[in-house]
Amino acid sequence: METAAAASLSFPVISMEKLETEERAVAMEVIRDACENWGFFELLNHGISHELMDEVERVSKAHYRDRREDKFKEFAARTLKAGEKGDDVKDVDWESTFFVRHLPASNLADLPDLDDHYRQVMKEFAAEIEKLAERVLDLLCENLGLEKGYLKQVFAGSKGSPTFGTKVSSYPPCPRPDLVDGLRAHTDAGGVILLFQDDQVSGLQLLKDGAWVDVPPMRHAVVVNIGDQLEVITNGRYKSVLHRVMTRTDGNRMSIASFYNPGADAVIFPAPALVAGGAAEEKEGEEGGAAVYPRFVFEDYMNLYVRHKFEAKEPRFEAMKSAPAAPIATA
């Protein structure tokens, strides 16, 4: 078994500039291996300006300090008091977070406590992340042998738009990391997740081959991870993996995670081209690599996920098999 330390050293990192050179095939192979064996990879030279990323980091950290820190300290004091007197606080996450919705309709203007500059910076950043997410999806299509745009089209649903939003989180220092995690272990429900994380304070880990492996902080990098929906669409070729955030006694880790997910009414199912024979109607259990994941509506999966986020994903997939049959697209 590969040790956690060795795995951290071999964590898949791709410079996207290489996709435009004679090294493209090697870079695409790193992405393929990452999706199949890690569930995570890290992108450098991805086209989002360093100046914009620096400003996103500056205003996000200032917003926590000015608007959210005092409230978090109240929560922290209650949590530590409960944990130290013996109460179980393992179902609590040591994080301060808020969510910005971009698509299908933005809520940026409605969020309290954000000044106009922060709103504009987040709007610009979201536009760049959206473009990068769609580029990543097409790279995955290429590796999978799917038609360019296939994943974006599946995610669009009947209304022509994915569900796209950003979770802005701070993971402040915790004096008792033995009592509480920053964020409990889970897989992500959606499609593809793009993370801009603090390059000074680590804490994000993924589970690989039975060991927890650090996702290395890198300046101006974007971490990509695979959500449950891509596992279904690829018929298990790509896997969503358990990940968590550990608490630390020092440092306040910034995490800006953007989720490019299917639209609420998008019908999710294994891509016919990735099922033996390409037959969409093949049933589970037939010979020759039939579809092993169910067909369902994304919103139905999310309704289940919110109740069972911190549990194993397999029972969620199993439960969707008995859900009302999702419609079959006829377009």
Side-chain angles (χ1 to χ4, degrees), residues 285-313:
E286 291 183 359
E287 292 298 321
V292 295
Y293 292 81
R295 174 187 293 266
F296 54 83
V297 175
F298 178 61
E299 187 173 37
D300 293 340
Y301 186 86
M302 283 303 299
N303 288 337
L304 180 68
Y305 178 85
V306 294
R307 302 194 303 272
H308 302 283
K309 174 177 179 177
F310 298 108
E311 301 171 21
K313 63 186 173 182

Side-chain angles (χ1 to χ4, degrees), residues 12-197:
V13 179
I14 300 98
S15 173
M16 294 190 76
E17 288 181 335
K18 293 184 177 180
L19 295 169
E20 311 303 325
T21 72
E22 68 280 359
E23 296 182 73
R24 178 182 177 85
V26 174
M28 290 296 289
E29 174 61 20
V30 174
I31 294 173
R32 182 204 62 77
D33 178 72
C35 291
E36 293 184 4
N37 297 307
W38 289 79
F40 275 73
F41 54 94
E42 203 151 0
L43 296 175
L44 300 174
N45 302 311
H46 39 64
I48 302 177
S49 79
H50 291 178
E51 291 77 15
L52 177 58
M53 297 183 83
D54 289 344
E55 187 62 5
V56 169
E57 179 175 1
R58 187 189 71 79
V59 295
S60 295
K61 290 184 174 181
H63 179 261
Y64 171 79
R65 183 180 62 247
D66 297 340
R67 303 297 182 103
R68 305 186 65 88
E69 187 170 30
D70 287 345
K71 185 175 181 180
F72 180 83
K73 286 180 177 178
E74 295 173 6
F75 155 82
R78 292 194 307 270
T79 301
L80 290 173
K81 183 177 179 180
E84 287 170 351
K85 74 176 186 179
D87 293 348
D88 185 2
V89 293
K90 285 298 183 183
D91 61 348
V92 173
D93 298 311
W94 190 271
E95 64 174 357
S96 170
T97 186
F98 66 95
F99 193 83
V100 183
R101 187 177 66 249
H102 310 302
L103 294 173
S106 173
N107 70 343
L108 252 177
D110 304 324
L111 293 174
D113 298 334
L114 300 188
D115 61 36
D116 289 343
H117 178 64
Y118 196 1
R119 293 179 210 276
Q120 184 59 35
V121 169
M122 288 303 294
K123 184 178 179 180
E124 292 176 17
F125 183 67
E128 294 296 316
I129 285 286
E130 182 183 358
K131 287 190 294 186
L132 181 57
E134 292 176 353
R135 186 180 178 196
V136 167
L137 288 180
D138 277 342
L139 292 172
L140 303 189
C141 284
E142 182 179 340
N143 263 341
L144 291 161
L146 298 173
E147 180 181 354
K148 184 177 181 179
Y150 177 86
L151 291 171
K152 181 181 177 182
Q153 182 179 3
V154 169
F155 282 23
S158 69
K159 297 180 175 63
S161 173
T163 305
F164 175 48
T166 297
K167 178 186 177 188
V168 180
S169 302
S170 296
Y171 296 94
C174 176
R176 291 292 305 274
D178 56 307
L179 288 179
V180 60
D181 289 333
L183 181 60
R184 289 163 284 165
H186 63 286
T187 64
D188 287 328
V192 62
I193 299 85
L194 285 79
L195 168 68
F196 173 28
Q197 68 167 344

Side-chain angles (χ1 to χ4, degrees), residues 3-14:
T3 66
S8 292
L9 290 173
S10 61
F11 189 91
V13 179
I14 300 98

Side-chain angles (χ1 to χ4, degrees), residues 42 54 57 61 171 196-204 215-221 248 250-255:
E42 203 151 0
D54 289 344
E57 179 175 1
K61 290 184 174 181
Y171 296 94
F196 173 28
Q197 68 167 344
D198 204 303
D199 68 303
Q200 297 296 315
V201 185
S202 63
L204 178 61
V215 177
M218 299 181 70
R219 188 71 176 158
H220 298 132
R248 294 171 45 125
D250 61 338
N252 185 352
R253 177 177 175 268
M254 178 199 73
S255 167

